[in-house]
Amino acid sequence: SIDSTEATSDEQITSEANTGGTTDDLAGLTVTFLDVGQGNAVLFSCDDHYMMMDGGPSSASSFVVAYLKKQNIESLDYVIASHYDSDHINGLVGVLNVFDTETFIGPDYVADTKIYDSLMDKLAAQNLTVTFPKAGDSYTFGDAVFTIVAPITYSDDNENDNSNVIYTELDGYRFMFMGDAGVEKEKDILNKYNISGID
């Protein structure tokens, strides 16, 4: 299975930085789940390429930035907002403020919140535009490839179900990162793409 770690404190950040972090596995892909409390923040690394999916709430922003710095990361190939809830994008504003970013991927809807406005302002200040993927679009990430498999359709009632969902397959292992998309959306994805045996 994929080797991942959960970073929870400055002490653990320092320890991981000194020991080289998690061990590469599955064609060099490492996934680190950062403990940001309520919310989500995931760092992907592959062949010295880096990608951040979500950044947690405002209380975790400095922690997320500090963790990336401890890994000696200078730039990110991709920053992905699964969706625009504050506990997923607050930390991304801090990440964008510190790290050069090549591509920002987000879902194609507008949120009526101050943090959404702050995120858009930060992107504009860095001359970045939001890439709105279509379900089925694939992106290269080092030797890995990930595919955006949702949203297949957008919901007017539940922004969680508008989450960008990442699917990747390496060495026979398959993974989906759901954002906050619900069970019914997961079933739709599995049926549409004929996916089974998700690890």
Side-chain angles (χ1 to χ4, degrees):
S1 64
I2 194 166
D3 185 7
S4 62
T5 189
E6 184 176 90
T8 57
S9 68
D10 290 341
E11 182 178 350
Q12 188 167 347
I13 288 172
T14 302
S15 174
E16 289 184 357
N18 290 339
T19 59
T22 57
T23 303
D24 287 346
D25 196 3
L26 301 179
L29 177 65
T30 299
V31 181
T32 304
F33 299 91
L34 302 183
D35 185 358
V36 294
Q38 172 66 37
N40 185 58
V42 185
L43 174 67
F44 302 77
S45 62
C46 187
D47 307 313
D48 294 322
H49 293 267
Y50 301 95
M51 175 170 73
M52 192 78 204
M53 182 177 185
D54 295 335
S58 58
S59 59
S61 181
S62 60
F63 162 69
V64 171
V65 168
Y67 183 82
L68 269 60
K69 285 183 175 180
K70 289 291 186 181
Q71 309 314 302
N72 297 316
I73 295 171
E74 296 180 354
S75 63
L76 296 159
D77 292 47
Y78 301 97
V79 171
I80 302 175
S82 63
H83 62 304
Y84 299 127
D85 282 0
S86 61
D87 59 341
H88 289 250
I89 65 168
N90 252 305
L92 291 185
V93 175
V95 167
L96 290 168
N97 193 50
V98 175
F99 301 96
D100 291 335
T101 299
E102 184 174 332
T103 301
F104 185 91
I105 295 174
D108 191 7
Y109 73 93
V110 175
D112 185 20
T113 62
K114 290 182 179 179
I115 187 56
Y116 172 84
D117 292 341
S118 295
L119 177 63
M120 293 302 114
D121 288 345
K122 180 58 64 178
L123 291 171
Q126 298 193 8
N127 295 317
L128 286 169
T129 57
V130 182
T131 296
F132 301 123
K134 296 178 181 178
D137 286 354
S138 293
Y139 298 85
T140 301
F141 177 60
D143 285 338
V145 175
F146 67 92
T147 302
I148 304 292
V149 293
I152 298 169
T153 59
Y154 280 87
S155 170
D156 293 329
D157 302 321
N158 187 347
E159 291 185 357
N160 285 344
D161 282 341
N162 293 333
S163 293
N164 281 321
V165 177
I166 294 177
Y167 171 82
T168 188
E169 182 173 358
L170 286 168
D171 291 354
Y173 293 93
R174 292 175 285 182
F175 305 90
M176 284 201 308
F177 299 85
M178 295 292 298
D180 276 347
V183 173
E184 292 304 316
K185 288 296 180 180
E186 182 177 352
K187 291 178 181 177
D188 290 345
I189 294 166
L190 297 179
N191 289 334
K192 178 177 175 61
Y193 295 98
N194 195 28
I195 300 171
S196 62
I198 291 294
D199 302 277

